[in-house]
């Protein structure tokens, strides 16, 4: 597979506590993986019909998108970060006899929004939160609905070498799907709500 990519970025400090980042990218993919169905063959001795596919690299794709992020130090102890990305993609299946629709089609969300907060409650305590919103994926073989997820972490710096954390992930619902696969057939899995304790000890 072959990729021609161009990334353009710009970063600017608005003031001593706020900065903004902008990025844009056009990508051109050639020789993407694909497959073509071959004419069915009837195998006389075993008595079954064989449907064979032949792999090729005949598909192409065009992607372009933008990303914007804002970093704001609201106070000396509180940092906020916002990020938004927009992605538009078009995958072209090769016009060949029996060519199957590319499994790269509609596998990425168009919109993603992320908000992060990091607050120092004291010299030893910190509270981190991450809220994100992802638009739906409308693939022909699987569908992922839009979802909103929230992660949180409370950190206690018990000593110079020991850090204890209480982490909660995907707190807004019991479970939600995030991705599916049409290339490798498998049972759909969902990301579940979870909570755990973590200890980091440096020595």
């Amino acid at each position: 597979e072959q990729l021609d990519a161009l990334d353009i970025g710009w970063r600017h400090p608005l003031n001593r506590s706020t900065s903004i980042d902008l990025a844009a990218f056009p990508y051109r993919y050639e020789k993407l993986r694909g497959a073509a169905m071959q004419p069915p063959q009837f195998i006389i001795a075993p008595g079954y019909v064989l449907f064979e596919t032949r792999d090729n690299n005949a598909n192409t794709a065009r992607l372009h998108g933008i990303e914007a992020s804002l970093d704001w130090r609201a106070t000396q102890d509180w940092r906020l970060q916002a990020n938004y990305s927009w992605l538009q993609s078009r995958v072209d299946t090769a016009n060949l006899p029996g060519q199957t629709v590319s499994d790269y089609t509609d596998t990425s969300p168009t919109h993603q929004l992320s908000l992060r907060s990091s607050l120092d409650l004291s010299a030893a305590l910190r509270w981190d939160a991450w809220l994100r919103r992802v638009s739906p994926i409308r693939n022909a073989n699987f569908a992922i609905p839009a979802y909103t997820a929230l992660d949180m972490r409370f950190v206690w710096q018990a000593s110079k070498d020991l850090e204890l954390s209480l982490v909660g992930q995907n707190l807004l619902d019991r479970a939600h799907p995030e991705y599916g696969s049409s290339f490798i057939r498998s049972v759909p899995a969902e990301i579940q709500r979870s909570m755990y304790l973590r200890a980091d000890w440096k020595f």
Side-chain angles (χ1 to χ4, degrees):
E1 298 181 330
Q2 178 179 312
L3 166 64
D4 296 322
L6 175 63
D7 293 271
I8 303 172
W10 176 72
R11 173 176 294 176
H12 180 66
L14 300 178
N15 51 50
R16 296 182 61 182
S17 62
T18 310
S19 64
I20 187 171
D21 287 73
L22 300 174
F25 53 90
Y27 290 173
R28 181 176 65 187
Y29 291 87
E30 304 287 345
K31 301 179 181 179
L32 286 181
R33 181 193 67 224
M37 294 285 295
Q38 304 302 302
Q41 304 176 46
F42 181 68
I43 310 301
I44 298 178
Y48 61 83
V49 178
L50 174 65
F51 291 90
E52 184 180 11
T53 60
R54 181 169 298 170
D55 294 339
N56 57 41
N57 287 79
N59 296 333
T60 60
R62 300 292 183 269
L63 280 76
H64 58 274
I66 57 174
E67 295 180 356
S69 61
L70 181 70
D71 192 323
W72 178 36
R73 180 73 68 171
T75 67
Q76 185 176 356
D77 301 322
W78 190 19
R79 183 181 184 184
L80 293 169
Q81 295 171 291
N83 178 272
Y84 169 76
S85 64
W86 174 80
L87 176 67
Q88 191 69 42
S89 63
R90 189 192 78 224
V91 181
D92 295 320
T93 300
N95 186 19
L96 297 174
Q99 187 81 357
T100 59
V101 176
S102 172
D103 52 15
Y104 289 120
T105 302
D106 296 327
T107 57
S108 299
T110 302
H111 305 279
Q112 296 189 72
L113 177 65
S114 169
L115 298 173
R116 289 178 179 266
S117 171
S118 182
L119 177 63
D120 293 332
L121 301 172
S122 68
L125 295 175
R126 187 172 74 252
W127 173 38
D128 297 328
W130 182 23
L131 178 69
R132 56 196 184 277
R133 174 70 177 178
V134 180
S135 65
I137 297 176
R138 297 184 176 89
N139 186 276
N141 298 299
F142 60 87
I144 305 296
Y147 64 88
T148 303
L150 175 65
D151 299 345
M152 287 191 180
R153 182 178 69 152
F154 289 94
V155 182
W156 175 37
Q157 193 71 44
S159 67
K160 179 182 177 181
D161 302 323
L162 178 62
E163 181 181 273
L164 302 176
S165 306
L166 173 62
V167 181
Q169 294 181 312
N170 299 296
L171 298 175
L172 299 182
D173 52 32
R174 295 182 59 184
H176 66 265
E178 290 189 4
Y179 185 73
S181 174
S182 59
F183 179 65
I184 300 177
R185 299 294 181 182
S186 57
V187 177
E190 295 192 348
I191 307 300
Q192 298 182 344
R193 177 189 296 150
S194 64
M195 296 189 69
Y196 60 90
L197 291 169
R198 173 174 172 170
D200 291 294
W201 179 34
K202 299 177 182 179
F203 59 92

